Amino acid sequence: MVWAKVGTGAALAAAAGLAARYAVQRERLERSWLHRVDQKLSAIGEVEHLSILPLVERLVPDVGLDGEPGVSYLIRADDTTLLFDAGLNSSGKARSALVRNAENLGIDLRSLDGVVISHLHADHVGGTMNMLRRTFSLSADALEPRGLPGYVPAPMRHERAAVELTTGPRVIAPGVAVLPPLPRMLFWAGPVAEQALVVNVRGFGMVLVSGCGHPGIERMLAATEVVLDVPIRAVVGGLHLPVHPGAAYLVQAILGSPHWPWRPIGEQDVAEAIDAIRTRGPRMIAVSGHDSTPWTFGAFERAFGELYRTLRVGEELVVA
Ligand SMILES: [Zn+2]
Ligand SMILES: [Zn+2]
């Protein structure tokens, strides 16, 4: 009886601690996010041709490719080849889904010009152990060449790659830039800072690539417009809208929620995201299935019609 009371007391204290941490840090981060975006990029350059090839996504179009609830996209912008995020590799396999899919699609991961990590979550850095060690890897085998640039949004380390912390907007290749990491407080998972990648395509405009979209697409678009004077014409990647999650998306819906626990990510959040994108006059919207549900895909499809795609492994997006 006494122990039950002690147990209940400890659980209540832990819950109160979490709630207090959330309330205090959310308040601080909500006030700070725009202050991080005060620098402008005068010239980003442009590319003629952009290809975004999902190597890791939850959804897979056919047999021979592996799906997992993480993100990794091969970004080819003229002569620059980057990997945006490193997938989940949840079982820590020597040959991760990323490596197997790359092989099956004829991609050589040893010829990258750099890796961009959107944020330090397991489904973007190649697994939970990597997240805890504040590093990333493409698979359990050491694949990253020594000195490979790794652009990260939070302090991280790597045994071989040359990790560079993003502290402000930065051009990393002609026509390609990373944006200042935007902070967001998540109730259970705690604070997270996420950076987006932008590519300026001649005659098209800016393509915004998002990992999980934790800061909220509204803020990501607003931050991009502070940094750059090029119109945003495409949004590609994770928007974190696991609406009506069911069992498959429960982890994303709970752990990744920026709201109080009794207020799930809902239809209103999707409506606001759609409005924010629509006002920019987009020409392409492609949403990740790793953190958004079929309900959300349907809402985007109704809103954007032919401009909309759901991202799947191996289905390349080309902007030229
Ligand atoms: Zn995340
Ligand atoms: Zn994610």
Side-chain angles (χ1 to χ4, degrees), residues 77 87 95 108 141 183 251 257 273 298 301:
R95 290 180 74 257
D108 181 5
D141 285 343
V251 170
S257 177
E301 222 155 20

Side-chain angles (χ1 to χ4, degrees), residues 237-301:
L239 298 183
H240 207 85
L241 295 167
V243 180
H244 306 307
Y249 289 86
L250 218 47
V251 170
Q252 290 285 357
I254 294 171
L255 283 186
S257 177
H259 306 313
W260 286 99
W262 53 83
R263 150 58 166 113
I265 296 167
E267 297 183 11
Q268 184 58 31
D269 296 290
V270 173
E272 286 167 12
I274 286 173
D275 276 352
I277 296 170
R278 201 188 338 244
T279 55
R280 269 74 184 190
R283 299 164 77 174
M284 179 193 288
I285 303 99
V287 174
S288 169
H290 95 286
D291 63 353
S292 287
T293 49
W295 188 91
T296 301
F297 308 152
F300 272 79
E301 222 155 20

Side-chain angles (χ1 to χ4, degrees), residues 69-71 85 118-119 121 123-124 211-214 238 240 252 290-291:
V71 162
D85 284 342
S118 65
H119 65 300
H121 276 173
D123 50 338
H124 299 257
C212 237
H214 289 302
H240 207 85
Q252 290 285 357
H290 95 286
D291 63 353

Side-chain angles (χ1 to χ4, degrees), residues 182-247:
L182 299 179
R184 194 82 191 262
M185 186 62 194
L186 309 178
F187 185 87
W188 297 106
V192 64
E194 181 169 339
Q195 67 178 345
L197 180 82
V198 288
V199 184
N200 183 22
V201 184
R202 181 178 300 166
F204 181 90
M206 200 66 76
V207 177
L208 174 72
V209 184
S210 162
C212 237
H214 289 302
I217 192 62
E218 300 88 337
R219 289 178 193 186
M220 294 169 82
L221 292 166
T224 309
E225 287 164 345
V226 172
V227 171
L228 290 153
D229 288 324
V230 184
I232 302 157
R233 293 290 183 236
V235 173
V236 176
L239 298 183
H240 207 85
L241 295 167
V243 180
H244 306 307

Side-chain angles (χ1 to χ4, degrees), residues 42-280:
S42 54
I44 174 176
E46 55 186 12
V47 298
E48 299 269 346
H49 185 271
L50 169 66
S51 145
I52 301 172
L53 178 66
L55 296 177
V56 173
E57 261 296 341
R58 183 192 289 268
L59 301 174
V60 183
D62 53 36
V63 286
L65 295 168
D66 293 315
E68 64 174 26
V71 162
S72 182
Y73 305 146
L74 189 77
I75 311 280
R76 286 175 286 198
D78 283 355
D79 298 330
T80 306
T81 303
L82 298 166
L83 194 70
F84 181 82
D85 284 342
L88 173 61
N89 197 20
S90 56
S91 47
K93 285 200 183 99
R95 290 180 74 257
S96 59
L98 168 58
V99 167
R100 295 195 302 276
N101 287 340
E103 266 174 26
N104 285 331
L105 293 164
I107 304 298
D108 181 5
L109 290 173
R110 279 158 301 190
S111 62
L112 298 171
D113 296 307
V115 175
V116 175
I117 297 296
S118 65
H119 65 300
L120 189 49
H121 276 173
D123 50 338
H124 299 257
V125 297
T128 306
M129 283 315 292
N130 284 344
M131 179 178 76
L132 296 174
R133 293 184 190 132
R134 302 189 73 89
T135 188
F136 66 87
S137 67
L138 313 191
S139 83
D141 285 343
L143 259 188
E144 300 83 359
R146 206 160 282 283
L148 175 75
Y151 304 97
V152 300
M156 289 173 72
R157 53 182 161 262
H158 199 284
E159 278 175 22
R160 290 169 309 282
V163 162
E164 298 187 36
L165 177 64
T166 305
T167 53
R170 177 177 175 191
V171 177
I172 60 171
V176 184
V178 287
L179 296 180
L182 299 179
R184 194 82 191 262
M185 186 62 194
L186 309 178
F187 185 87
W188 297 106
V192 64
E194 181 169 339
Q195 67 178 345
L197 180 82
V198 288
V199 184
N200 183 22
V201 184
R202 181 178 300 166
F204 181 90
M206 200 66 76
V207 177
L208 174 72
V209 184
S210 162
C212 237
H214 289 302
I217 192 62
E218 300 88 337
R219 289 178 193 186
M220 294 169 82
L221 292 166
T224 309
E225 287 164 345
V226 172
V227 171
L228 290 153
D229 288 324
V230 184
I232 302 157
R233 293 290 183 236
V235 173
V236 176
L239 298 183
H240 207 85
L241 295 167
V243 180
H244 306 307
Y249 289 86
L250 218 47
V251 170
Q252 290 285 357
I254 294 171
L255 283 186
S257 177
H259 306 313
W260 286 99
W262 53 83
R263 150 58 166 113
I265 296 167
E267 297 183 11
Q268 184 58 31
D269 296 290
V270 173
E272 286 167 12
I274 286 173
D275 276 352
I277 296 170
R278 201 188 338 244
T279 55
R280 269 74 184 190

